[in-house]
Amino acid sequence: MRKYITKNKKRIIIMLVCFCLTFLVRVILNLNIKNPWAMGDELGVMATGAYFAGYDWRQVLQLLNSDGGGANFYNGGFGIFLTPLFCLIKGRPYFLYQAILCVCALMQSLVVLISYQIMTKCFNIKNYYFCGAISVASSFFSVSRATNAMNESALILCTWGIIYLIMLLVQENSNKRVTIYSILLALILGYSYTIHTRTIVLIFSVIVAILFISFLNKKSLVRLSVFFLCLVGALLAAMKFNTFVLENVFVINDESQVLNTGQTATISVFEGIKLFFKGGQWQAFGDVFLGNLFGLNLITINIFFVVFFVWLRSFWTNIYQVVFKKNSPIIRKDDGFIMLGLVVYICAFGMVFLYSIHVLANSIVAIQSESCTRSF
């Protein structure tokens, strides 16, 4: 029997078993969850799917806001995929919610397939059991779980899709495939903006990483004209879609209050910057910034910073060779690792910095009232 199982079949079987196990574990964990526990966030996500299925939740969303709990606006890129569930499952709220959680579980479990492919195909690791174990860990090492109906599940999947495409681009030499991957990368980045406004940091980091790797290799990583043309088009379409969802799913009239829009988030960041420079609130900023870095490291059991310092060494080696010695990068195989590091760490540190600025006003109040734990 064993002789009929080729190496490629073994690779695929292990990958699918790992995927099925992670999906099954998540589904079993969700069975005891009978209603949303992050009511404002989850209703804000599900409202788009309900709208396209013919329901109007605007009164409920505004009622939550008037009570102080708040229903948050999370664009509509994830919620729209829930529309078929709202159409098919009627009068059975528990089954409907479980079906939605299954979608979240599926999206987070698909990370196993992508992570496994990156290790076996891009990094050419032949120990498939090791790849399976790491891919399972990759799908679970996340601050957001599949136990609630949150857009983070789609955001996680998009991020891994972007990482996979970057790895393929680093290794690809075919002009046709580079063009296809460039278009796909731009479209996924554009779509991610319909999931959450915070993906603007992800988009920025990917662009920086692409330009930097192109500089190191003295060759463009993507088809720049095709990539930027598709990205601009995708972002314009995403903004139109987000505006449509805001006006039709959340807003009733001019007095309607909507939380967590791109506009309110931008205003909050600028207000935080004013506090930071005018008030000199270094302690409050440092409290939140260092606390979140600690959280990032904790959720990855110290892997976050260990890999960061390994990456930093490769990053500096390539910079030194290209800029100071005018040589080509000395280690070609490091390019994918450097690229991923740029995307991951620009995103991570950028998000922590912006979030620390965003909540600076609350942190100042927390410290002044000697309730420092609230500032985290």
Side-chain angles (χ1 to χ4, degrees), residues 214-264:
S214 299
F215 163 73
L216 283 184
N217 292 333
K218 299 178 176 62
K219 178 186 175 183
S220 178
L221 186 69
V222 297
R223 293 285 168 270
L224 288 175
S225 57
V226 173
F227 173 75
F228 283 109
L229 185 65
C230 291
L231 180 59
V232 169
L235 286 174
L236 289 174
M239 286 187 278
K240 285 280 187 184
F241 175 74
N242 291 341
T243 303
F244 175 84
V245 171
L246 178 64
E247 293 175 350
N248 292 275
V249 181
F250 286 81
V251 174
I252 299 176
N253 51 48
D254 293 338
E255 296 179 358
S256 298
Q257 181 186 6
V258 183
L259 305 177
N260 205 49
T261 63
Q263 183 181 5
T264 57

Side-chain angles (χ1 to χ4, degrees), residues 215-318:
F215 163 73
L216 283 184
N217 292 333
K218 299 178 176 62
K219 178 186 175 183
S220 178
L221 186 69
V222 297
R223 293 285 168 270
L224 288 175
S225 57
V226 173
F227 173 75
F228 283 109
L229 185 65
C230 291
L231 180 59
V232 169
L235 286 174
L236 289 174
M239 286 187 278
K240 285 280 187 184
F241 175 74
N242 291 341
T243 303
F244 175 84
V245 171
L246 178 64
E247 293 175 350
N248 292 275
V249 181
F250 286 81
V251 174
I252 299 176
N253 51 48
D254 293 338
E255 296 179 358
S256 298
Q257 181 186 6
V258 183
L259 305 177
N260 205 49
T261 63
Q263 183 181 5
T264 57
T266 304
I267 291 171
S268 178
V269 168
F270 278 113
E271 289 298 322
I273 292 172
K274 288 180 185 177
L275 280 173
F276 183 72
F277 287 105
K278 286 186 177 180
Q281 299 293 341
W282 293 90
Q283 183 186 357
F285 175 81
D287 188 29
V288 182
F289 186 80
L290 294 176
N292 275 281
L293 286 182
F294 174 76
L296 276 173
N297 199 41
L298 190 67
I299 202 71
T300 61
I301 55 173
N302 296 324
I303 293 173
F304 181 82
F305 278 112
V306 170
V307 176
F308 173 70
F309 289 117
V310 174
W311 171 80
L312 198 61
R313 182 180 178 278
S314 295
F315 178 82
W316 171 250
T317 300
N318 280 270

Side-chain angles (χ1 to χ4, degrees), residues 45-302:
V45 170
M46 293 187 287
T48 306
Y51 170 80
F52 285 104
Y55 298 98
D56 187 348
W57 285 11
R58 287 178 296 177
Q59 294 287 352
V60 176
L61 299 176
Q62 288 303 314
L63 182 63
L64 278 172
N65 285 333
S66 65
D67 286 344
N72 288 319
F73 172 67
Y74 286 114
N75 303 337
F78 173 55
I80 196 170
F81 284 107
L82 306 178
T83 302
L85 299 179
F86 280 96
C87 293
L88 293 171
I89 306 172
K90 298 179 183 294
R92 296 289 185 89
Y94 172 76
F95 291 108
L96 173 61
Y97 188 58
Q98 283 295 315
I100 292 170
L101 293 182
C102 273
V103 173
C104 295
L106 176 64
M107 286 184 167
Q108 293 201 18
S109 298
L110 285 172
V111 169
V112 171
L113 304 183
I114 300 173
S115 175
Y116 193 90
Q117 284 290 97
I118 289 173
M119 285 186 285
T120 57
K121 291 291 187 181
C122 301
F123 286 109
N124 203 29
I125 299 173
K126 298 300 183 184
N127 188 335
Y128 299 142
Y129 295 108
F130 170 81
C131 293
I134 296 299
S135 63
V136 170
S138 299
S139 76
F140 281 109
F141 278 9
S142 170
V143 262
S144 183
R145 302 164 302 282
T147 54
N148 51 8
M150 297 288 284
N151 56 337
E152 269 83 359
S153 296
L155 194 54
I156 290 167
L157 184 58
C158 279
T159 305
W160 277 93
I162 289 165
I163 288 172
Y164 188 36
L165 283 171
I166 287 170
M167 292 301 303
L168 292 175
L169 282 164
V170 168
Q171 299 181 338
E172 190 56 63
N173 294 315
S174 166
N175 289 333
K176 183 179 179 181
R177 287 184 179 177
V178 168
T179 302
I180 293 170
Y181 294 153
S182 299
I183 294 170
L184 287 175
L185 181 60
L187 293 178
I188 292 177
L189 286 170
Y191 167 70
S192 69
Y193 193 64
T194 68
I195 301 173
H196 203 297
T197 311
R198 70 170 70 115
T199 52
I200 199 70
V201 178
L202 176 63
I203 295 167
F204 170 76
S205 67
V206 170
I207 292 172
V208 168
I210 285 171
L211 295 177
F212 178 74
I213 292 294
S214 299
F215 163 73
L216 283 184
N217 292 333
K218 299 178 176 62
K219 178 186 175 183
S220 178
L221 186 69
V222 297
R223 293 285 168 270
L224 288 175
S225 57
V226 173
F227 173 75
F228 283 109
L229 185 65
C230 291
L231 180 59
V232 169
L235 286 174
L236 289 174
M239 286 187 278
K240 285 280 187 184
F241 175 74
N242 291 341
T243 303
F244 175 84
V245 171
L246 178 64
E247 293 175 350
N248 292 275
V249 181
F250 286 81
V251 174
I252 299 176
N253 51 48
D254 293 338
E255 296 179 358
S256 298
Q257 181 186 6
V258 183
L259 305 177
N260 205 49
T261 63
Q263 183 181 5
T264 57
T266 304
I267 291 171
S268 178
V269 168
F270 278 113
E271 289 298 322
I273 292 172
K274 288 180 185 177
L275 280 173
F276 183 72
F277 287 105
K278 286 186 177 180
Q281 299 293 341
W282 293 90
Q283 183 186 357
F285 175 81
D287 188 29
V288 182
F289 186 80
L290 294 176
N292 275 281
L293 286 182
F294 174 76
L296 276 173
N297 199 41
L298 190 67
I299 202 71
T300 61
I301 55 173
N302 296 324

